[in-house]
Amino acid sequence: MADISSSIGENDLFLIFSGANNIKKENTALVSQLAKLNYKTIVVTSNQPYINLIRAYEENNIDTSNIYFVDLISRYALGKEPENKNPKKCRFISTPSNLTDTGIAITEMINLNNSSGETVVVFDSITTMLIYVSSDQISKFIHFLTNKFRLLQVKGIFLVVEGGLDPALEVRFTTFVDKIIR
Amino acid sequence: MDKKYSSMNFSRECMLMVNAIPYAVVLIDKSGSIIIWNRAAEIIIGYSADEILGKNFTDMIGRLISNDKAILASERFIDFITDKAGNESSFFTRGIVIRKDKLEFFADVSVSSVNIDGEWCAICIIRDISKQVESEFENIYLSNIVKSSNDAIIGMDLNQKIISWNQGAERIYGYSAFDILGKNMSVLVPHGRENEIESEIEKIKGGDSVPSFETERITKSNKTVNVLITLSPIKNKFDSIVGASVITTDITREKQMFNTMIRYISEAAMRLKTPAEMVRLNLSNIIEMVKSDGIDKENLILNLSIQMKNTEQIVHNLRELNQAIIGSYEEIPEDYIKYFKN
């Protein structure tokens, strides 16, 4: 699993490559490290539903009080918002292809003033987003997000499955971030 | 010449000279009798002097040229041996002569009246031009290939001045031969590639072979085309390199197709292969959760619905990519387009 504890102070934007088998564990391990470092963490998920993530974090004894979610997939899959939602903790997006709403929801979560400490947005994952948007669209969207994060002085971690990007797109993404972890 | 076939007397020196001529020399007297048939005639036409001398011209002509032409030649023969003959009674023709062994060859034939000892005769000189005709034919043949080639075939001197320009070049570059002849090849080279031709020319001058290379060129309408270029030396008759032929194949379409194919495969890998693997792993996790009673019904429905949506979208992506590829390839047969769309 990627160790970001030592490098997150010096770098703002990360691209983390993970094996398809390990990407769920990678998410949990990253969030665990961020919680220990007292970061406010916003998990943007198109891979697993918010409910699964909360459960996984709790099972791993991660303090979820400072963790927020933008869930791109649950509402789309069910056709409605899940009943046990916590509106303060999670924004549900109508469909993962709705990048405008996703961008707005991420900004709203960043601007929530109910937590202390620096903010980190964990984007899980570019690979599952590619199911719903083209490589051109995702490239523009990630470029938009990285610019926004820098302006808002927010840190960002983008998860991607190893081998899930073509060489040209991989090179493009590496120019958006400060550090790449494989 | 021991036998005497005519009242005319030819000195030994005269006959030596006639036999030294590399063309067939045939002399026919007023009566139509063949009285000189030199060595070259024996070699070129195949009949020996013994077989021919003393024979009548009208008997022999039918064996040497085609029948219709033999009749005409016989009719004209009279003009050469009458008192009316003179400078005007001569003609030159090019045609096919039949050898003794029935093989045919192209020949230049000249026939003239000649007055020997007050008697008009006809002298016929036959030159075998088979090799020349063959070479001319080959040149015309090759020239037609160059003219009608779909590729641009351009001739240039060692200073890169364009000296020949075929129809393929007009089609690819948009310039007519009138527009371009005499201009420098650099008008076709995009900015940044100016030294490309120069370095290749240097190799050719040095006698090195130049492998074909892919590059870009600029058309008259300022459009960039992808091309495959093959440079070969042009030599003069002294075997010196005086220029180069530049064969240009337009590969723009192939490049576009190749790039489309790469994009398709890349996009397919990113939007189909890896996501499908993610779905498989997620379903596997769901199975594990069900086995260990670690998931309630509501959550199970949510998780399965997500994977179902992912799968639907992956199938949709496959159709979308198929549509994109169909749109990019004009060459796909209609029945396959129908099949892909279904």
Coordinates of all heavy atoms in Angstrom, one line a residue, chain A residues 20-21 23-24 46-49 51-52 55 73-78 82-84 125 127-128 130-136 161-167 169, chain B residues 263 266-267 269-271 273-282 285-286 289 294-296 298-299 301-303 305-307 309-314 317 320:
Chain A
A20 N -5.6 -3.8 -9.6 CA -7.1 -3.9 -9.5 C -7.6 -4.6 -8.3 O -8.6 -4.3 -7.7 CB -7.6 -4.6 -10.8
N21 N -6.8 -5.7 -7.9 CA -7.1 -6.5 -6.7 C -7.1 -5.6 -5.4 O -7.8 -5.9 -4.4 CB -6.1 -7.6 -6.5 CG -6.5 -8.7 -7.4 OD1 -7.6 -9.0 -7.6 ND2 -5.4 -9.4 -8.0
I23 N -7.2 -2.1 -5.0 CA -7.6 -0.7 -5.0 C -8.6 -0.4 -3.8 O -8.5 0.7 -3.2 CB -8.2 -0.3 -6.4 CG1 -8.2 1.2 -6.5 CG2 -9.6 -0.9 -6.6 CD1 -8.2 1.7 -7.9
K24 N -9.4 -1.4 -3.4 CA -10.2 -1.1 -2.2 C -9.4 -1.0 -1.0 O -9.7 -0.1 -0.1 CB -11.2 -2.3 -2.1 CG -12.4 -2.2 -3.0 CD -13.4 -3.3 -2.8 CE -14.5 -3.2 -3.8 NZ -15.5 -4.2 -3.7
S46 N -16.5 6.5 -7.2 CA -17.3 5.9 -8.3 C -17.1 4.4 -8.3 O -17.7 3.7 -9.2 CB -16.9 6.5 -9.7 OG -15.5 6.3 -9.9
N47 N -16.3 3.9 -7.4 CA -15.9 2.5 -7.4 C -16.8 1.7 -6.4 O -17.4 0.7 -6.8 CB -14.4 2.4 -7.0 CG -13.9 1.0 -7.2 OD1 -14.5 0.2 -8.0 ND2 -12.9 0.7 -6.5
Q48 N -16.9 2.2 -5.2 CA -17.7 1.5 -4.2 C -18.8 2.5 -3.6 O -18.5 3.7 -3.5 CB -16.9 1.1 -3.0 CG -15.7 0.2 -3.4 CD -14.8 0.0 -2.2 OE1 -15.2 -0.7 -1.3 NE2 -13.7 0.6 -2.2
P49 N -19.9 2.0 -3.2 CA -20.9 3.0 -2.6 C -20.4 3.5 -1.3 O -19.6 2.8 -0.6 CB -22.1 2.1 -2.5 CG -21.7 0.7 -2.5 CD -20.4 0.7 -3.3
I51 N -21.8 3.6 1.5 CA -22.1 2.7 2.6 C -21.0 1.7 2.8 O -20.6 1.4 3.9 CB -23.5 2.0 2.3 CG1 -24.6 2.9 2.1 CG2 -23.8 0.9 3.4 CD1 -25.0 3.7 3.4
N52 N -20.5 1.1 1.7 CA -19.4 0.2 1.8 C -18.2 0.8 2.4 O -17.5 0.2 3.2 CB -19.1 -0.3 0.4 CG -20.0 -1.4 -0.1 OD1 -21.1 -1.4 0.4 ND2 -19.5 -2.2 -1.1
R55 N -18.5 1.5 6.2 CA -18.3 0.2 6.9 C -16.9 -0.3 6.9 O -16.4 -0.7 8.0 CB -19.2 -0.9 6.2 CG -19.2 -2.2 6.9 CD -20.1 -3.2 6.4 NE -21.5 -2.8 6.6 CZ -22.6 -3.3 6.0 NH1 -22.4 -4.4 5.2 NH2 -23.8 -2.9 6.2
I73 N -22.1 6.9 -7.5 CA -22.6 5.7 -8.1 C -23.9 5.2 -7.4 O -24.8 4.6 -8.1 CB -21.5 4.6 -8.1 CG1 -21.9 3.4 -9.0 CG2 -21.2 4.1 -6.7 CD1 -21.7 3.7 -10.4
S74 N -24.1 5.4 -6.1 CA -25.3 4.8 -5.4 C -26.6 5.3 -6.0 O -27.5 4.5 -6.3 CB -25.2 5.1 -3.9 OG -24.0 4.5 -3.4
R75 N -26.7 6.6 -6.1 CA -28.0 7.1 -6.6 C -28.3 6.7 -8.0 O -29.4 6.3 -8.4 CB -28.0 8.7 -6.5 CG -29.3 9.3 -6.8 CD -29.2 10.8 -6.6 NE -30.0 11.6 -7.4 CZ -30.0 12.9 -7.6 NH1 -29.1 13.6 -6.9 NH2 -30.8 13.5 -8.4
Y76 N -27.3 6.6 -8.8 CA -27.4 6.2 -10.2 C -27.9 4.7 -10.3 O -28.8 4.3 -11.0 CB -26.1 6.3 -10.9 CG -26.1 5.9 -12.4 CD1 -26.9 6.5 -13.3 CD2 -25.2 4.8 -12.8 CE1 -26.9 6.0 -14.6 CE2 -25.2 4.4 -14.1 CZ -26.1 5.0 -15.0 OH -26.1 4.6 -16.3
A77 N -27.3 3.9 -9.4 CA -27.6 2.4 -9.4 C -29.0 2.2 -8.9 O -29.7 1.3 -9.4 CB -26.6 1.7 -8.5
L78 N -29.4 2.9 -7.8 CA -30.7 2.6 -7.2 C -31.8 3.4 -7.9 O -33.0 3.1 -7.7 CB -30.7 3.0 -5.7 CG -29.8 2.1 -4.9 CD1 -29.7 2.7 -3.4 CD2 -30.3 0.7 -4.8
P82 N -29.9 6.6 -1.4 CA -30.1 5.6 -0.4 C -30.8 6.2 0.9 O -30.6 7.3 1.2 CB -28.7 5.2 -0.1 CG -27.9 5.6 -1.3 CD -28.6 6.8 -1.8
E83 N -31.6 5.3 1.5 CA -32.4 5.8 2.7 C -31.6 6.2 3.9 O -31.9 7.1 4.6 CB -33.5 4.8 3.0 CG -34.6 4.9 2.0 CD -35.6 3.7 2.2 OE1 -35.5 3.0 3.2 OE2 -36.4 3.6 1.3
N84 N -30.5 5.5 4.1 CA -29.7 5.7 5.3 C -28.6 6.8 5.1 O -27.6 6.7 5.7 CB -29.1 4.4 5.9 CG -28.2 3.8 4.8 OD1 -28.3 4.2 3.7 ND2 -27.5 2.8 5.2
S125 N -12.3 6.1 -8.4 CA -11.0 6.1 -9.1 C -11.2 6.6 -10.5 O -12.3 6.5 -11.0 CB -10.4 4.6 -9.1 OG -11.3 3.8 -9.9
T127 N -10.1 5.0 -13.0 CA -10.4 3.8 -13.8 C -11.9 3.6 -13.9 O -12.5 3.3 -15.0 CB -9.7 2.6 -13.2 OG1 -8.4 2.9 -13.0 CG2 -9.9 1.4 -14.1
T128 N -12.6 3.7 -12.7 CA -14.1 3.4 -12.8 C -14.8 4.6 -13.4 O -15.9 4.4 -14.0 CB -14.7 3.1 -11.4 OG1 -14.1 4.0 -10.4 CG2 -14.5 1.7 -11.0
L130 N -13.8 6.0 -16.0 CA -13.6 5.8 -17.4 C -14.7 4.9 -18.0 O -14.9 4.8 -19.2 CB -12.3 5.2 -17.7 CG -11.1 6.2 -17.9 CD1 -9.8 5.5 -17.8 CD2 -11.3 7.0 -19.2
I131 N -15.5 4.2 -17.1 CA -16.6 3.4 -17.5 C -17.7 4.4 -18.1 O -18.4 4.2 -19.0 CB -17.2 2.6 -16.4 CG1 -16.2 1.5 -15.9 CG2 -18.5 1.8 -16.9 CD1 -16.7 0.7 -14.7
Y132 N -17.8 5.6 -17.4 CA -18.9 6.5 -17.7 C -18.5 7.7 -18.5 O -19.4 8.4 -19.1 CB -19.5 6.9 -16.4 CG -20.2 5.8 -15.7 CD1 -19.5 5.0 -14.7 CD2 -21.4 5.4 -16.0 CE1 -20.1 3.9 -14.1 CE2 -22.0 4.3 -15.5 CZ -21.3 3.5 -14.5 OH -21.9 2.4 -14.0
V133 N -17.2 8.0 -18.6 CA -16.8 9.2 -19.4 C -15.6 8.8 -20.3 O -14.8 7.9 -19.9 CB -16.5 10.4 -18.6 CG1 -17.7 11.0 -17.9 CG2 -15.5 10.1 -17.5
S134 N -15.5 9.5 -21.4 CA -14.4 9.2 -22.3 C -13.1 9.7 -21.7 O -13.0 10.5 -20.8 CB -14.6 9.9 -23.6 OG -14.4 11.2 -23.5
S135 N -12.0 9.1 -22.3 CA -10.7 9.5 -21.8 C -10.4 11.0 -22.0 O -9.8 11.7 -21.1 CB -9.6 8.7 -22.5 OG -9.6 9.0 -23.9
D136 N -11.0 11.6 -23.0 CA -10.8 13.1 -23.2 C -11.5 13.8 -22.1 O -11.0 14.8 -21.6 CB -11.4 13.5 -24.6 CG -10.4 13.3 -25.7 OD1 -9.3 13.0 -25.4 OD2 -10.9 13.4 -26.9
V161 N -6.1 2.3 -11.5 CA -5.6 0.9 -11.6 C -4.4 0.8 -12.5 O -4.4 1.4 -13.6 CB -6.8 0.0 -12.1 CG1 -6.2 -1.4 -12.5 CG2 -7.9 -0.2 -11.1
E162 N -3.4 0.1 -12.0 CA -2.2 0.0 -12.8 C -2.5 -0.6 -14.2 O -3.2 -1.6 -14.3 CB -1.2 -0.9 -12.0 CG 0.2 -1.1 -12.7 CD 1.0 0.2 -12.5 OE1 1.3 0.6 -11.4 OE2 1.4 0.7 -13.6
G163 N -2.0 0.0 -15.3 CA -2.3 -0.5 -16.6 C -3.6 -0.1 -17.1 O -4.0 -0.5 -18.2
G164 N -4.3 0.8 -16.4 CA -5.7 1.2 -16.8 C -5.7 2.5 -17.7 O -6.7 2.9 -18.1
L165 N -4.5 3.1 -17.9 CA -4.4 4.3 -18.7 C -3.5 4.0 -19.9 O -2.5 3.4 -19.8 CB -3.8 5.4 -17.9 CG -4.6 5.9 -16.6 CD1 -3.8 7.0 -16.0 CD2 -6.0 6.4 -17.0
D166 N -3.9 4.6 -21.0 CA -3.0 4.4 -22.2 C -1.8 5.4 -22.0 O -1.8 6.3 -21.2 CB -3.7 4.6 -23.5 CG -4.0 6.1 -23.9 OD1 -3.2 7.0 -23.5 OD2 -4.9 6.3 -24.6
P167 N -0.7 5.1 -22.7 CA 0.6 5.8 -22.4 C 0.4 7.3 -22.5 O 0.9 8.1 -21.7 CB 1.5 5.3 -23.4 CG 1.0 3.9 -23.8 CD -0.4 4.0 -23.7
L169 N -2.3 9.2 -22.1 CA -3.1 9.7 -21.0 C -2.3 9.7 -19.7 O -2.4 10.6 -18.9 CB -4.4 8.9 -20.9 CG -5.6 9.5 -20.1 CD1 -6.0 10.9 -20.7 CD2 -6.7 8.6 -20.0
Chain B
R263 N -6.2 4.6 -31.2 CA -7.1 5.3 -30.3 C -8.2 4.3 -29.9 O -8.6 4.3 -28.7 CB -7.8 6.5 -31.0 CG -6.9 7.8 -30.9 CD -7.8 9.0 -31.0 NE -8.6 9.0 -32.2 CZ -8.2 9.4 -33.4 NH1 -6.9 9.8 -33.5 NH2 -9.0 9.4 -34.4
S266 N -6.8 1.7 -27.5 CA -6.5 2.4 -26.2 C -7.8 2.6 -25.4 O -7.9 2.3 -24.2 CB -5.8 3.7 -26.4 OG -4.5 3.5 -26.9
E267 N -8.7 3.2 -26.1 CA -10.0 3.6 -25.5 C -10.7 2.3 -25.0 O -11.3 2.2 -24.0 CB -10.8 4.4 -26.4 CG -11.9 5.2 -25.8 CD -11.4 6.5 -25.1 OE1 -10.2 6.7 -25.1 OE2 -12.2 7.1 -24.4
A269 N -9.2 -0.5 -24.2 CA -8.5 -1.1 -23.1 C -8.9 -0.3 -21.8 O -9.2 -0.9 -20.8 CB -7.0 -1.0 -23.3
M270 N -9.0 1.0 -22.0 CA -9.3 1.8 -20.8 C -10.7 1.7 -20.3 O -11.0 1.8 -19.1 CB -8.9 3.3 -21.0 CG -7.5 3.6 -21.1 SD -7.1 5.3 -21.1 CE -7.7 5.8 -22.7
R271 N -11.6 1.6 -21.3 CA -13.1 1.7 -21.0 C -13.8 0.4 -21.0 O -15.0 0.3 -20.7 CB -13.7 2.7 -22.0 CG -13.1 4.1 -21.9 CD -13.9 5.1 -22.5 NE -15.2 5.3 -21.8 CZ -16.3 5.9 -22.4 NH1 -16.2 6.3 -23.6 NH2 -17.4 6.1 -21.7
K273 N -11.6 -3.1 -21.0 CA -10.9 -4.2 -20.4 C -10.7 -4.1 -18.9 O -11.1 -4.9 -18.1 CB -9.5 -4.3 -21.1 CG -8.6 -5.5 -20.6 CD -7.3 -5.6 -21.4 CE -6.3 -4.6 -21.0 NZ -5.4 -4.8 -20.0
T274 N -10.1 -2.9 -18.5 CA -9.8 -2.7 -17.0 C -11.1 -2.6 -16.3 O -11.3 -3.2 -15.2 CB -8.9 -1.5 -16.8 OG1 -7.8 -1.6 -17.8 CG2 -8.4 -1.4 -15.4
P275 N -12.1 -1.8 -16.7 CA -13.4 -1.8 -16.0 C -14.0 -3.1 -15.9 O -14.6 -3.4 -14.8 CB -14.2 -0.8 -16.8 CG -13.2 0.1 -17.5 CD -12.1 -0.8 -17.8
A276 N -14.0 -3.9 -16.9 CA -14.6 -5.3 -16.8 C -13.9 -6.1 -15.8 O -14.6 -6.8 -15.0 CB -14.5 -6.0 -18.2
E277 N -12.6 -5.9 -15.6 CA -11.9 -6.6 -14.6 C -12.3 -6.1 -13.2 O -12.4 -6.9 -12.3 CB -10.4 -6.4 -14.8 CG -9.4 -7.0 -13.8 CD -9.5 -8.5 -13.6 OE1 -10.1 -9.1 -14.5 OE2 -8.9 -9.0 -12.7
M278 N -12.5 -4.8 -13.1 CA -13.0 -4.2 -11.8 C -14.4 -4.8 -11.5 O -14.6 -5.1 -10.3 CB -13.1 -2.7 -12.0 CG -11.8 -2.0 -12.2 SD -10.8 -1.9 -10.8 CE -11.6 -0.5 -9.9
V279 N -15.2 -4.9 -12.4 CA -16.6 -5.5 -12.2 C -16.4 -6.9 -11.7 O -17.1 -7.3 -10.7 CB -17.5 -5.4 -13.5 CG1 -18.7 -6.2 -13.3 CG2 -17.8 -4.0 -13.8
R280 N -15.6 -7.7 -12.3 CA -15.4 -9.1 -11.9 C -14.9 -9.1 -10.5 O -15.5 -9.9 -9.7 CB -14.3 -9.7 -12.8 CG -14.2 -11.2 -12.7 CD -13.1 -11.8 -13.4 NE -11.8 -11.4 -12.9 CZ -11.2 -11.9 -11.8 NH1 -11.8 -12.9 -11.1 NH2 -10.0 -11.5 -11.4
L281 N -14.0 -8.3 -10.1 CA -13.4 -8.3 -8.7 C -14.5 -7.8 -7.7 O -14.6 -8.4 -6.6 CB -12.2 -7.4 -8.6 CG -11.0 -7.9 -9.3 CD1 -9.9 -6.8 -9.5 CD2 -10.4 -9.1 -8.6
N282 N -15.3 -6.8 -8.1 CA -16.4 -6.3 -7.2 C -17.4 -7.4 -7.0 O -17.9 -7.6 -5.9 CB -17.0 -5.1 -7.8 CG -16.1 -3.9 -7.7 OD1 -15.2 -3.8 -6.9 ND2 -16.3 -2.9 -8.6
N285 N -16.1 -9.9 -4.6 CA -16.2 -9.4 -3.2 C -17.6 -9.5 -2.7 O -17.8 -9.9 -1.5 CB -15.8 -7.9 -3.2 CG -14.3 -7.7 -3.2 OD1 -13.5 -8.6 -2.9 ND2 -13.8 -6.6 -3.7
I286 N -18.6 -9.2 -3.5 CA -20.0 -9.3 -3.1 C -20.3 -10.8 -2.7 O -20.9 -11.0 -1.7 CB -20.9 -8.8 -4.2 CG1 -20.7 -7.3 -4.4 CG2 -22.4 -9.1 -3.9 CD1 -21.4 -6.8 -5.7
M289 N -18.9 -11.4 0.6 CA -19.7 -10.8 1.7 C -20.9 -11.6 2.0 O -21.3 -11.8 3.1 CB -20.0 -9.4 1.3 CG -18.9 -8.4 1.4 SD -19.4 -6.7 1.4 CE -19.6 -6.4 -0.4
G294 N -21.9 -10.9 5.6 CA -21.4 -9.5 5.9 C -22.2 -8.5 5.2 O -21.7 -7.3 5.1
I295 N -23.3 -8.8 4.6 CA -24.0 -7.7 3.8 C -25.5 -7.9 4.0 O -26.0 -9.1 4.0 CB -23.6 -7.8 2.3 CG1 -24.1 -6.6 1.6 CG2 -24.0 -9.1 1.7 CD1 -23.5 -6.4 0.2
D296 N -26.3 -6.8 4.3 CA -27.7 -7.0 4.4 C -28.4 -6.9 3.0 O -27.7 -6.6 2.0 CB -28.3 -5.9 5.3 CG -28.0 -4.5 4.9 OD1 -28.0 -4.3 3.7 OD2 -27.7 -3.7 5.7
E298 N -30.6 -4.9 1.6 CA -30.6 -3.6 0.9 C -29.2 -3.2 0.3 O -29.1 -2.8 -0.8 CB -31.0 -2.5 2.0 CG -31.4 -1.2 1.3 CD -31.8 -0.2 2.4 OE1 -32.0 -0.6 3.6 OE2 -31.9 1.0 2.1
N299 N -28.2 -3.5 1.1 CA -26.9 -3.2 0.6 C -26.4 -4.1 -0.5 O -25.7 -3.7 -1.5 CB -25.9 -3.3 1.8 CG -24.6 -2.5 1.6 OD1 -24.6 -1.7 0.6 ND2 -23.6 -2.7 2.4
I301 N -28.5 -5.4 -2.7 CA -29.2 -4.9 -3.9 C -28.4 -3.7 -4.5 O -28.2 -3.6 -5.7 CB -30.6 -4.5 -3.6 CG1 -31.5 -5.8 -3.3 CG2 -31.3 -3.7 -4.7 CD1 -32.8 -5.5 -2.8
L302 N -28.0 -2.8 -3.6 CA -27.2 -1.6 -4.0 C -25.9 -2.0 -4.8 O -25.6 -1.6 -5.9 CB -26.9 -0.7 -2.8 CG -25.9 0.4 -3.1 CD1 -26.5 1.4 -4.1 CD2 -25.5 1.1 -1.8
N303 N -25.2 -2.9 -4.1 CA -23.9 -3.4 -4.7 C -24.1 -4.1 -6.1 O -23.4 -3.9 -7.0 CB -23.1 -4.3 -3.7 CG -22.4 -3.4 -2.7 OD1 -21.2 -3.0 -3.0 ND2 -23.0 -3.1 -1.6
S305 N -26.7 -3.7 -8.0 CA -27.2 -2.7 -9.0 C -26.0 -1.9 -9.6 O -26.0 -1.6 -10.8 CB -28.2 -1.8 -8.3 OG -29.3 -2.5 -7.8
I306 N -25.1 -1.6 -8.7 CA -23.9 -0.8 -9.2 C -23.2 -1.6 -10.3 O -22.8 -1.1 -11.4 CB -23.0 -0.5 -8.1 CG1 -23.6 0.6 -7.2 CG2 -21.6 0.0 -8.6 CD1 -22.9 0.9 -5.9
Q307 N -22.9 -2.9 -10.0 CA -22.2 -3.7 -11.0 C -23.0 -4.0 -12.2 O -22.5 -4.0 -13.3 CB -21.8 -5.1 -10.3 CG -20.9 -4.9 -9.1 CD -19.8 -3.9 -9.3 OE1 -19.2 -3.7 -10.3 NE2 -19.6 -3.0 -8.2
K309 N -25.1 -1.7 -13.5 CA -25.0 -0.5 -14.2 C -23.7 -0.4 -14.9 O -23.6 0.1 -16.0 CB -25.2 0.7 -13.2 CG -26.6 0.9 -12.8 CD -27.5 1.5 -13.9 CE -28.9 1.8 -13.4 NZ -29.7 2.3 -14.5
N310 N -22.6 -0.8 -14.1 CA -21.3 -0.8 -14.7 C -21.2 -1.6 -16.0 O -20.7 -1.2 -17.0 CB -20.2 -1.3 -13.7 CG -19.9 -0.3 -12.7 OD1 -20.2 0.9 -12.8 ND2 -19.3 -0.7 -11.6
T311 N -21.8 -2.8 -15.9 CA -21.8 -3.8 -17.0 C -22.6 -3.2 -18.2 O -22.1 -3.3 -19.3 CB -22.4 -5.1 -16.6 OG1 -21.8 -5.5 -15.4 CG2 -22.2 -6.2 -17.6
E312 N -23.8 -2.6 -17.9 CA -24.6 -2.0 -19.0 C -23.8 -0.9 -19.7 O -23.8 -0.8 -20.9 CB -25.8 -1.3 -18.4 CG -27.0 -2.3 -18.1 CD -28.1 -1.6 -17.3 OE1 -28.1 -0.4 -17.2 OE2 -29.0 -2.3 -16.8
Q313 N -23.1 -0.1 -18.9 CA -22.3 1.0 -19.5 C -21.1 0.5 -20.3 O -20.8 1.0 -21.3 CB -21.8 1.9 -18.3 CG -21.1 3.2 -18.8 CD -22.1 4.1 -19.6 OE1 -23.3 4.2 -19.3 NE2 -21.6 4.7 -20.7
I314 N -20.5 -0.6 -19.8 CA -19.4 -1.2 -20.6 C -19.9 -1.7 -21.9 O -19.2 -1.5 -22.9 CB -18.7 -2.3 -19.7 CG1 -17.9 -1.7 -18.6 CG2 -17.7 -3.1 -20.6 CD1 -17.5 -2.7 -17.5
N317 N -20.4 1.3 -24.0 CA -19.1 1.8 -24.5 C -18.6 1.0 -25.7 O -18.1 1.6 -26.6 CB -18.1 1.7 -23.4 CG -18.4 2.7 -22.2 OD1 -19.2 3.6 -22.4 ND2 -17.7 2.5 -21.1
E320 N -20.5 2.1 -28.6 CA -20.1 3.5 -28.9 C -18.8 3.5 -29.7 O -18.6 4.2 -30.7 CB -20.0 4.3 -27.7 CG -20.1 5.8 -27.8 CD -20.0 6.5 -26.5 OE1 -18.9 6.5 -25.9 OE2 -21.1 6.9 -26.0

